[in-house]
Structures are given as C-alpha cells and as structure tokens.
C-alpha cells in the first residue's frame, strides 16, 4: 500500500499538517528508492527522516508544553520510539545492503506508525488545542 497523505489525517495545525504531508512524501520516496536500489537516494532520505524527526518532534513537543497538553510525556515517548525504530531500520539497511525484505519491513513500519500516530496521539493533541 502506498504511503499517501489523506486529509482525514489532518490535525488542524497548519505547521504540523504541512510537516506531515512532507513526511508522507519523503517516506514514499524512501520506499521507492529502496525498491529500485537507489543507494544514494536511500541514504539521503534516511538522513532527511532523521533530521525531520528531530525538528518536527521538537516543534510538536514545544507546542504541547505551551498548551499544557496532559499526554506530553506519552507523546514524547512515542517520538523517541520512532527515532529508535528509524535507526534500527537504517542499521538493517546498512547490514544487508538494502534487501527487498528490509524495504518491505520499513514500508510496513512507516505506514503503520504514521497512520496510527496521526490518527491517535496527534488527533488527541488537535482536540486538546480545540481544533
């Protein structure tokens, strides 16, 4: 299944939604690069995703803290798990040279994580913010 943004995943915070749209776009490009064996593209996209996670998650966490969001620590822990899983997939890619199995595992993980996180914790944050 392609990693496609859906308006139903919007949380109603323009900056966050724009970041999420871009994340879906880059994640799909990463999966395509893995499938086609584009090693330079894979490395660049892994680098982007790691940087994205740091920047975007920090912005979300600042917003949550400023808004007195009661699930901040739970959300922060989910972000930490994402970073750890991304690192695990990067190591698996480096170890096995970008096998089809590693690409499929990454695709499944990213797809599941994005949909679950956006529809769950990010949606709850949007409700807390009154959006």
């Amino acid at each position: 299944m392609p990693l496609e943004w859906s308006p139903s995943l919007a949380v109603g915070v323009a900056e966050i939604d724009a970041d999420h749209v871009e994340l879906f776009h880059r994640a799909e490009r990463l999966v395509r690069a893995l499938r086609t064996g584009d090693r330079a593209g894979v490395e660049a996209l892994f680098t982007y995703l790691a940087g994205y996670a740091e920047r975007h998650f920090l912005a979300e966490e600042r917003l949550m803290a400023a808004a007195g969001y009661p699930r901040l620590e739970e959300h922060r822990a989910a972000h930490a798990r994402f970073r750890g899983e991304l690192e695990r997939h990067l190591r698996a890619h480096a170890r096995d040279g970008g096998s089809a199995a590693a690409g499929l595992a990454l695709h499944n993980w990213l797809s599941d994580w994005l949909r679950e996180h956006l529809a769950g914790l990010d949606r709850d944050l949007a409700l807390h913010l009154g959006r």
Side-chain angles (χ1 to χ4, degrees):
M1 170 186 304
L3 286 163
E4 293 179 358
W5 169 258
S6 166
S8 68
L9 296 172
V11 298
V13 177
E15 178 185 357
I16 292 172
D17 287 336
D19 279 355
H20 290 164
V21 168
E22 183 63 17
L23 175 60
F24 269 81
H25 175 70
R26 298 287 184 115
E28 181 60 26
R29 285 180 51 199
L30 174 59
V31 169
R32 277 195 315 265
L34 284 164
R35 285 185 185 144
T36 62
D38 177 5
R39 292 188 63 79
V42 168
E43 300 304 324
L45 288 159
F46 266 124
T47 299
Y48 168 81
L49 287 174
Y52 162 87
E54 292 306 316
R55 181 187 57 76
H56 175 72
F57 292 163
L58 183 59
E60 268 191 5
E61 290 165 10
R62 284 183 182 149
L63 176 66
M64 288 184 260
Y69 181 56
R71 296 177 72 186
L72 171 61
E73 291 308 315
E74 179 185 357
H75 210 129
R76 201 174 264 156
H79 290 165
R81 284 190 303 275
F82 176 92
R83 289 189 294 270
E85 280 295 305
L86 183 63
E87 180 62 28
R88 185 181 68 76
H89 283 284
L90 177 59
R91 284 192 312 272
H93 171 74
R95 182 182 59 248
D96 71 12
S99 72
L104 180 61
L106 174 70
H107 177 270
N108 290 341
W109 167 71
L110 267 176
S111 180
D112 291 347
W113 194 92
L114 288 170
R115 286 184 179 82
E116 289 171 14
H117 186 78
L118 271 63
L121 286 173
D122 280 356
R123 173 81 56 209
D124 186 67
L125 171 59
L127 290 172
H128 176 78
L129 295 171
R131 297 185 166 101

